[in-house]
Amino acid sequence: MARDHGFHPIRIKRIIQETADTRTYVLDAPFDYQAGQFLTFKVCGTLRSYSMSSSPATDPELTTTVKRVPGGLVSNWMHDNLSPGDLLEATPPAGVFCLRETSAPLVAFSGGSGITPVLSLVKTALAATDRRVRLLTADRDGDSIIFEATLAQLAERYPGRLEVRHHLDSLAGFLTEARVKEFAADARDADFYICGPEPFMDLVERALLAQGADPGQLFIERFGSGDDGAPGEETEGTVTIVLSGKTHTVPQHSGETLLQSARRAGLAPPFSCEAGNCATCIAQVTEGRAQMKINNALDEDEVADGWVLTCQGEPATPHLTVVYED
Ligand SMILES: Cc1cc2nc3c(=O)[nH]c(=O)nc-3n(C[C@H](O)[C@H](O)[C@H](O)COP(=O)(O)OP(=O)(O)OC[C@H]3O[C@@H](n4cnc5c(N)ncnc54)[C@H](O)[C@@H]3O)c2cc1C
């Protein structure tokens, strides 16, 4: 049987206004979690993931921090409608944007709301290890910096172990590769954590790799959802999808994931990160086989039992049946 991917009721204890467009939700959530992980909430009939901004090592309460996305459905609904005492539904913590056992320095780059999991990682590394930590946050302007006071307090509390640099677009334009390299120049043995808008993450990744970092030193959390891309050629095979007790069969398209096939069948299956990390899109292959491109969520036993991340699984047999849990 797969691990618990079910939804749990979670009460909002308090709401903290961090900046004009960012709020922290203090949650009564009965979960153990690792720094850097996230919860997936069911809101407005859809699913969105939000990372913990709290640290399991230092914070008695679990918090998530949500920034409004212009035109975005869930982030704006949460800001406009939620009050202390309200109930939300969320799956247990998931994700692999976590600390590993090492004494290497931690160098982090966050852009905007990307600070959320990064703050959790930074607080945890400072409290639970002797590692040195260096953080570059990038924000539009001074008013947009999330957790500015918290970071200043941490830097005071851990002198010599934490260095925080705030990059502001309003003063210096977008971050450049040269600045990333300069920031990381004397930390070549570090583990690098990156979370922020897609172009920001691409820039930081490119700069670090160009400077000789090994891809294994880079930990990247992607907030955006994937692009379905152009449909592949139709093939002889079929994909049968069982969702909410109903069965739908569509022709296989080459290079198409099971999630894409389900959408093409007109279904609205669960998904969140679309990067093989969160397991929100999990289902079980009961006939045929699927091959995952990326699997950062399921263990060997689960894969042997036919469980698949449908955002990453492609058919490996001409006919395949995949069943979503109710
Ligand atoms: C693992 C993970 C962790 C995350 N952690 C956090 C976190 O800690 N804090 C945080 O704030 N966010 C986090 N996110 C991002 C979050 O899950 C949401 O993606 C984000 O809040 C936007 O959701 P939304 O429903 O408000 O916007 P959506 O409705 O999904 O819209 C997103 C964007 O798409 C545009 N759009 C929507 N529909 C259309 C359309 N039909 N045509 C063109 N454009 C369209 C919108 O204008 C908007 O710009 C995380 C994401 C992941 C995957």
Side-chain angles (χ1 to χ4, degrees):
M1 185 53 208
R3 71 192 72 163
D4 177 10
H5 297 291
F7 285 90
H8 297 252
I10 289 173
R11 196 169 295 284
I12 299 176
K13 292 207 248 177
R14 292 190 310 285
I15 299 176
I16 302 163
Q17 189 80 37
E18 303 286 0
T19 67
D21 60 3
T22 305
R23 285 185 172 178
T24 289
Y25 297 89
V26 183
L27 302 175
D28 197 356
F31 296 137
D32 290 332
Y33 63 98
Q34 293 179 56
Q37 289 193 309
F38 57 86
L39 304 180
T40 297
F41 294 88
K42 194 189 281 179
V43 180
C44 310
T46 188
L47 300 172
R48 292 289 183 278
S49 301
Y50 292 101
S51 310
M52 266 66 81
S53 45
S54 51
S55 158
T58 61
D59 299 317
E61 296 177 305
L62 183 154
T63 63
T64 54
T65 300
V66 179
K67 181 170 178 172
R68 281 186 193 268
V69 171
L73 177 68
V74 170
S75 57
N76 290 294
W77 188 91
M78 289 179 78
H79 276 247
D80 294 336
N81 293 282
L82 291 177
S83 307
D86 286 349
L87 271 181
L88 287 166
E89 281 187 289
T91 58
V96 294
F97 187 61
C98 297
L99 300 172
R100 61 176 172 180
E101 286 280 324
T102 176
S103 55
L106 188 163
V107 176
F109 295 85
S110 72
S113 60
I115 186 63
T116 299
V118 168
L119 177 66
S120 179
L121 292 166
V122 165
K123 285 195 281 195
T124 306
L126 289 169
T129 76
D130 294 328
R131 297 171 68 180
R132 294 220 326 279
V133 179
R134 190 183 297 176
L135 166 63
L136 187 151
T137 71
D139 290 282
R140 282 191 303 267
D141 52 38
D143 291 340
S144 313
I145 304 173
I146 309 168
F147 302 128
E148 187 177 14
T150 305
L151 290 169
Q153 283 158 14
L154 284 171
E156 232 171 71
R157 179 155 174 213
Y158 294 98
R161 277 190 64 205
L162 173 64
E163 179 192 335
V164 180
R165 184 183 300 179
H166 294 294
H167 175 94
L168 300 180
D169 301 343
S170 57
L171 298 179
F174 282 153
L175 191 66
T176 60
E177 284 192 41
R179 282 178 194 266
V180 172
K181 287 180 181 162
E182 175 259 313
F183 189 70
D186 60 350
R188 302 205 176 212
D189 57 337
D191 275 359
F192 298 102
Y193 287 79
I194 311 166
C195 187
E198 203 69 36
F200 168 87
M201 293 191 293
D202 290 347
L203 175 118
V204 175
E205 182 180 18
R206 222 170 28 242
L208 294 174
L209 292 175
Q211 202 170 40
D214 186 283
Q217 291 173 267
L218 269 49
F219 299 80
I220 302 178
E221 182 76 312
R222 298 192 184 278
F223 277 6
S225 58
D227 179 2
D228 273 5
E233 293 288 308
E234 189 168 316
T235 69
E236 293 288 305
T238 58
V239 180
T240 299
I241 303 128
V242 182
L243 179 67
S244 305
K246 296 209 176 104
T247 303
H248 309 254
T249 299
V250 289
Q252 273 187 28
H253 282 191
S254 59
E256 187 176 77
T257 65
L258 300 175
L259 178 62
Q260 289 167 329
S261 301
R263 286 179 180 148
R264 190 160 50 80
L267 304 172
F271 70 96
S272 185
C273 74
E274 293 195 66
N277 295 332
C278 75
T280 305
C281 66
I282 188 173
Q284 193 171 25
V285 175
T286 57
E287 180 208 353
R289 250 181 330 104
Q291 182 70 41
M292 284 182 277
K293 293 177 286 187
I294 298 172
N295 169 24
N296 292 323
L298 302 180
D299 64 29
E300 276 176 23
D301 289 346
E302 289 170 319
V303 174
D305 286 345
W307 294 99
V308 63
L309 305 172
T310 56
C311 75
Q312 299 297 321
E314 293 179 8
T317 50
H319 300 281
L320 173 147
T321 300
V322 62
V323 181
Y324 286 91
E325 279 184 312
D326 284 332

